[in-house]
Amino acid sequence: PPTPEDHYDFEPIPLNEIAAIPLLSSSSVASAQYPSPHPYAATVAPHDTSPQATFPQICHQASTPPASALVASHFRAELSASDYVSPPVLRQSTRVTRGQKKQHDLAPSSGRSTTISAGAGEGRSWEKRYNELIEFKRIHSHCEVPQNYAENASLGTWVNKQRMEHKSRIEGNSSSLNDTRLERLQLIGFRWAKRKGQASWNEKFNELVAYEAKFGDCHVPTKYKDNTALGRWVSTQRAEYRKYQEGRRTSMNADKIRRLEGIGFAWFMAM
């Protein structure tokens, strides 16, 4: 009777009958779900059926990789560079959100004001006005250019603008008055704030001009009934002029002297 081992016992195939076994293509091997009942069937070339040519190929089959490995290598070789899709690159957004802008605006400053760099045109204009201010000081011995300066209205406007830029700088706001300009103006004695009495002086001077036009002279009595403040102001100008002549500290300057003498103001009254 047959034993259980006889079920797995196969009769060997003679070498001269191997050529009659049908061959399987590589695609059939890749798609086959079950192994061939003849392990040597796929190893014989169709053009050579001699036992001498078949036997070395059977021996070579023992070292051949499995069909699944061959199929995988086949597909890897067919994958070209054009079929490769690179992974997406994440780019960092440079847009500033409202929250980031708000944090930037609320960030504490370093304590220094922000100065705006001047362009070439603005730089030349600033240098021109600065040189005009130096010439003004040479003539009048001060830098108190009136804002409505008749001889050079642009210089008066420029001087007033420098004071405004200085105020912005102190408050920590943007300003075109950088450190170099600040130092150069201070070197020539530039005042960053107008003297409190300058506006009132101009007002009284205009009143004196009106008086001269009416009476033909500037001899305003000290106790002038129609305008007692003008009488006291005229007396003060004479007193300040004496201080100026003596080299003492005074509010009188060359510009005021020139303007007063221009309307025929007398520094000394005849007794």
Side-chain angles (χ1 to χ4, degrees):
T3 61
E5 290 79 2
D6 295 338
H7 177 71
Y8 299 97
D9 190 12
F10 297 95
E11 182 179 358
I13 302 174
L15 292 178
N16 58 356
E17 296 181 3
I18 291 178
I21 300 175
L23 299 178
L24 299 177
S25 63
S26 59
S27 60
S28 300
V29 174
S31 61
Q33 299 181 356
Y34 301 97
S36 172
H38 302 288
Y40 306 128
T43 63
V44 182
H47 62 277
D48 193 351
T49 59
S50 63
Q52 291 79 7
T54 306
F55 183 74
Q57 295 182 17
I58 297 173
C59 297
H60 178 69
Q61 179 65 20
S63 60
T64 304
S68 58
L70 293 174
V71 173
S73 62
H74 173 72
F75 279 104
R76 284 196 297 269
E78 290 183 352
L79 182 62
S80 62
S82 60
D83 296 329
Y84 178 75
V85 179
S86 59
V89 179
L90 298 179
R91 298 182 179 179
Q92 185 177 1
S93 176
T94 57
R95 294 183 58 187
V96 179
T97 62
R98 292 185 178 179
Q100 291 174 341
K101 185 178 185 301
K102 185 176 182 181
Q103 291 179 358
H104 178 271
D105 296 340
L106 296 178
S109 60
S110 59
R112 295 185 178 182
S113 61
T114 304
T115 55
I116 303 175
S117 57
E122 183 182 352
R124 288 192 296 267
S125 177
W126 196 94
E127 289 294 333
K128 179 182 178 181
R129 301 303 174 207
Y130 179 78
N131 292 329
E132 291 174 355
L133 179 60
I134 293 177
E135 180 64 16
F136 181 91
K137 183 181 180 181
R138 187 187 66 80
I139 298 174
H140 305 287
S141 302
H142 64 86
C143 300
E144 305 297 328
V145 184
Q147 189 170 353
N148 54 350
Y149 185 42
E151 297 182 10
N152 191 343
S154 298
L155 179 60
T157 303
W158 181 84
V159 166
N160 185 66
K161 184 177 185 298
Q162 302 313 301
R163 293 190 174 105
M164 294 174 61
E165 294 295 334
H166 182 258
K167 182 180 179 182
S168 297
R169 177 187 171 104
I170 293 176
E171 295 175 351
N173 300 323
S174 60
S175 171
S176 62
L177 186 67
N178 53 39
D179 295 342
T180 303
R181 293 179 176 182
L182 178 68
E183 183 178 358
R184 293 177 66 186
L185 288 170
Q186 289 177 339
L187 286 175
I188 61 175
F190 188 85
R191 289 178 176 269
W192 300 111
K194 291 183 179 179
R195 294 179 178 177
K196 295 181 179 179
Q198 183 66 27
S200 60
W201 193 95
N202 290 329
E203 181 181 350
K204 295 304 179 186
F205 176 80
N206 292 331
E207 292 177 2
L208 180 60
V209 171
Y211 180 94
E212 191 275 336
K214 182 178 181 179
F215 297 101
D217 59 62
C218 298
H219 307 324
V220 183
T222 305
K223 298 181 179 180
Y224 181 47
K225 294 182 179 180
D226 294 344
N227 191 343
T228 55
L230 178 61
R232 289 195 301 270
W233 181 84
V234 168
S235 179
T236 300
Q237 301 312 300
R238 295 191 177 104
E240 293 297 323
Y241 179 77
R242 286 193 295 269
K243 293 180 183 180
Y244 180 84
Q245 293 291 94
E246 296 172 357
R248 296 159 59 188
R249 184 175 180 179
T250 176
S251 61
M252 184 59 65
N253 54 53
D255 181 58
K256 291 179 179 180
I257 294 172
R258 180 185 61 81
R259 294 174 66 184
L260 287 169
E261 290 178 347
I263 61 174
F265 187 83
W267 297 108
F268 303 97
M269 294 293 294
M271 301 300 295

